[in-house]
Amino acid sequence: MKKILKSILLFQILVASLCQAQTTNDDGMPATSNVPGANYPRIHSDLSVTFHFHAPKARSIGLQLDKHYDMERDTNGDWSVTTRPQVFGFHYYWLIIDGEWVNDPTSETFFGVGKETSGIEIPEKGVDFYDVKNVPHGEIRQHLYFSKTTSAWRRIFVYTPPGYDQKTKTRYPVLYLQHGGGEDDRGWVIQGRVNNIMDNLIAEKKAKPMIIVMEKGSATKAGEALQVLPFGGGSRSASTNQFAFMQAFEDVVINDLIPMIDFTYRTLPDRNHRAMAGLSMGGMQTFQITLNHLDKFAYIGGFSGAGGRFGPPGAAPLDISKSYNGVFNDPAAFNKKVKLVWIGVGTAEPKMMHDGIIAFHEALEKARIKHVFYESPGTAHEWQTWRIDLKEFAPLLFQ
Amino acid sequence: MKKILKSILLFQILVASLCQAQTTNDDGMPATSNVPGANYPRIHSDLSVTFHFHAPKARSIGLQLDKHYDMERDTNGDWSVTTRPQVFGFHYYWLIIDGEWVNDPTSETFFGVGKETSGIEIPEKGVDFYDVKNVPHGEIRQHLYFSKTTSAWRRIFVYTPPGYDQKTKTRYPVLYLQHGGGEDDRGWVIQGRVNNIMDNLIAEKKAKPMIIVMEKGSATKAGEALQVLPFGGGSRSASTNQFAFMQAFEDVVINDLIPMIDFTYRTLPDRNHRAMAGLSMGGMQTFQITLNHLDKFAYIGGFSGAGGRFGPPGAAPLDISKSYNGVFNDPAAFNKKVKLVWIGVGTAEPKMMHDGIIAFHEALEKARIKHVFYESPGTAHEWQTWRIDLKEFAPLLFQ
C-alpha cells in the first residue's frame, strides 16, 4: 500500500508543478470562486483584484475582465496584474496567453457565452442575501424528463423549498425561471445562487415557499435540424434562423414541462400559482410563452429581458398594440387577469439594452398596462442584476 | 427591442470570433463531452480523435491526452492533430499553448486534479450501461447540511432512486460513495454518471433501489488550519500533513453526515442497510471509516482504492494483522459480520497501483478474509474502471 501512496504523492507533485498559484503575504482574500486552495485571484479591500499566472514560456499574458489588462512578468516567470476596483457581483473573465483567450486554472468554471468560462465573485460589504446562511435549506434536484416535442430526454434543475420532503400534504406554487443566451440550465443554480436567495427570503418570510424549475432554454423539434442557442459554442452558419428554437422551446414548456412538473411534484397546478421569469434572452422567452398562454400564467418577470420580441426590420419604436397578438390592447382585461408584470434592468447595462427596456416600460405605461419597473442601481447586464431582480421579484409572487 | 436584439447579435458575433471550432466534412462525430454545437474534438470509428484549435498567434500547440501530441498549424491559424485510437471511457486532457497547460474551450469542464479540466468521453460500441435510457429516472439532489465537526455548511449530492417521491412509505438502504484525490463531490455525478448507472441497474432489477450519498471527502476540524485535499489546486506547503484531513473526514461522516441522512431521508438506518465505497483515495477513506466502525457498515467497496492505509515508513509488505487495529485477525468473526468486501482494479492501471491492489487482495486471501476481487479488463486508473466497479458492485448490495 505504501507503493500506492508513493505513486499518489508522485502524481501529486507532478500536478502541483503545473500552473499553480503561489502563497504570498499580499493583502486581500482569495476569491470564493477560486478552486479550493488557490490563493489567486485575490480581492483587496478596495475591490481591486490581483491575478497571477505562472507561465515561464509565455511571451505575453493579458487579462480580460472589465477591460483588458496587460500582466507583468517577474524573473521566475510569474505573471501578475492588479486591476482597478471592480463592481461587486459575478463577472466572467479570461486570461489571454500569447493572444489566445483561455480559462484561468485557479478559477472554478461557469457555463457562459456558450462555453465553460472563468468567473470571479466580488463581494459587496454587508450584502449576503445570496450567501449560505444559518437557515433551513431547500434542495436543488437534477431531474430528467422525456419531451415529446424533441423526442429526447432533457435535464432540468428544480429547487424544492425547505420542508418539501417533510410536509407531504403541502402543495406549492411554481416559478419557471430561465437563464440567458449562452448559458444553460446550470446558470441560476451556479452563477445565480437561486437556492441561497430563496432559502434566505423564505426564512425571513419575505417570499412564499415555492418550487422553481430551471430548463435549458433551447430545443430542437423532433426530426428538425439541431438548433443551437445564440452565443452557443461551435459552428453555426450565419444563415441559421437564430430564433427558430423559440417555438420549439415554447412547445416544450407548455406541452411537456408543465404537465410533467404538475404530475411529478406537489404543485398547485393552476395559473394563479404559476409564474415565469427569465433574464435577457430568457426574458424574451418568458414574454413570448406567458403572453401566448395567459390561461397558464398569472405572474411574469423580465430581468433585463427583451419584451418586445422582434418587430419587422425598421419597426421602431416598439408598437405595443401589435405585440403578442395585441394582448396589451385591453388594459382593463389584462390588468385584471395578470397579477404581476415585472420589468427589471440594471442602471449600468449597455445603453442599447437599458434604453430598450426603458422603452418597453414606457410603452406599457402608455398602454396603461400595470407593471413594476425596477432599476438595480449600479449593476450591469450580468448576474448581480438578476440576483437582485429575483430577490425583489419573488416576494411579490403568489400573495 | 430591436436595439436589444441588435446588441445581442453584435455580442454574439464578438463571442463567435473567439476560439471556436469550425465545421468540416471530416468523418467521425463530435464528442458528447463537447459544449453544445462544438464540432471538435471529433471521434472517428477507430476511436482516434481529431482535436482542433484556432490560434493564429500561437507559436506551438500541443495536446496532452494519453500522451503528448504536437498539433499542426494551417495557413488560417487553425491547429489540429488526430491521435492514435483511444481507450474507451472518460479521459482528462489539456491543450498546451506555447508551453502552458490550459483547457480546450470546446470541451465541458470536469473537476479533476484539483481544478476544472477538459475531458473527453470515448464511447464503447454497444456499451450503454452509463447512458440515459428509456427507463424510470431517479434524481440527484444538491443538499446542504451543517457539520459540527467543521462548524460549517457542507454541500453533498444525494441520488434518490426512481419512485422515491411517490412511495412515501418506503425506506431505502444507503450507499456512501466517495470520489478520488483531486476530485470532489461532483465527480460521481458528472464523470461517474452514477444516476444513469443506478437507473439502468434498478430498471433491469439487477440492483435494489437505494439512496447514494456523495460527500466531498475533505474536511478541516473547526478551529484548525485549512486542510486541502491531495491534488488540490493552489498552494500547500510541503510540510503539511497530507492526510490530516482523514480523521476530520471520518468524524464528519460518522458524527454529522450519517445521522443527518438518516434524519432527512427515508433510510433503513442500520448497518445491514448501509454501505460505503470509494475510488482511489476514496477507497482509502472507505477502508479507514468502515473498518473503524463495523457497527455502522456491512458492505465495503474499494475501487482502485488503497486498502492498507499507511504503515510506518519501510513497512512492506503490508502487515494485514496490524492493519485497522487488527480487524482482520479473526476471519471467522469478520466474515460473519461483514457481508461484502469488494476489491476492484483495472488491468491497465499503473503497475505500482495495480501491484498494490493485488498485494492487498492476496493478503486478505491469505488471512482468509472473504472478499470479491474484480479486475476490469483493459481499463486504467480512471473513471471507466470505477463506473464498471459500481455496475458490478451495486448488485451485490443489500441482497
Side-chain angles (χ1 to χ4, degrees), chain A residues 213-243:
Chain A
V213 177
M214 294 156 278
E215 241 281 0
K216 78 174 168 186
S218 67
T220 303
K221 287 193 191 185
E224 293 189 356
L226 179 69
Q227 295 298 332
V228 175
L229 213 63
F231 309 95
S235 64
R236 186 180 52 245
S237 84
S239 64
T240 303
N241 178 351
Q242 304 285 358
F243 296 95

Side-chain angles (χ1 to χ4, degrees), chain B residues 24 44 60 62 70 81 92-93 98 100 104 137 201 231 267 270 276 289 293 297 310 320 340 361 373 390:
Chain B
T24 74
H44 306 280
S60 75
D70 289 325
V81 68
Y92 296 111
Y93 76 95
D98 292 355
E100 305 308 332
D104 182 353
H137 294 291
L201 286 173
F231 308 97
T267 67
D270 58 55
M276 185 169 182
I289 292 172
H293 301 277
F297 298 93
F310 3 95
I320 201 119
L340 175 65
H361 152 57
F373 175 67
L390 180 62

Side-chain angles (χ1 to χ4, degrees), chain A residues 122-278:
Chain A
I122 308 286
E124 185 180 6
K125 207 174 174 179
V127 173
D128 60 0
F129 72 87
Y130 48 88
D131 291 338
V132 175
K133 295 195 213 177
N134 286 320
V135 298
H137 294 291
E139 290 186 320
I140 297 281
R141 301 174 175 206
Q142 178 182 316
H143 186 94
L144 297 173
Y145 75 103
F146 190 80
S147 161
K148 284 186 187 164
T149 303
T150 66
S151 193
W153 291 91
R154 295 173 70 83
R155 181 184 71 181
I156 54 172
F157 291 98
V158 179
Y159 169 79
T160 53
Y164 182 87
D165 269 4
Q166 288 70 45
K167 297 174 189 163
T168 56
K169 303 289 178 207
T170 306
R171 303 187 75 87
Y172 297 85
V174 184
L175 165 62
Y176 292 82
L177 185 62
Q178 287 302 126
H179 59 85
E183 296 159 345
D184 70 7
D185 48 343
R186 294 169 288 189
W188 270 107
V189 176
I190 298 175
Q191 291 97 308
R193 303 193 182 185
V194 61
N195 52 329
N196 296 348
I197 295 171
M198 295 307 300
D199 290 346
N200 294 335
L201 286 173
I202 292 168
E204 295 176 51
K205 297 197 187 307
K206 286 185 179 165
K208 290 262 171 84
M210 64 184 79
I211 293 167
I212 300 184
V213 177
M214 294 156 278
E215 241 281 0
K216 78 174 168 186
S218 67
T220 303
K221 287 193 191 185
E224 293 189 356
L226 179 69
Q227 295 298 332
V228 175
L229 213 63
F231 309 95
S235 64
R236 186 180 52 245
S237 84
S239 64
T240 303
N241 178 351
Q242 304 285 358
F243 296 95
F245 68 90
M246 292 283 286
Q247 186 57 50
F249 182 63
E250 180 176 336
D251 292 353
V252 165
V253 171
I254 298 298
N255 300 329
D256 303 330
L257 179 63
I258 292 176
M260 182 282 292
I261 291 291
D262 285 336
F263 181 79
T264 309
Y265 295 90
R266 295 195 316 278
T267 65
L268 291 161
D270 58 56
R271 69 180 294 282
N272 284 337
H273 298 91
R274 196 179 293 122
M276 185 168 183

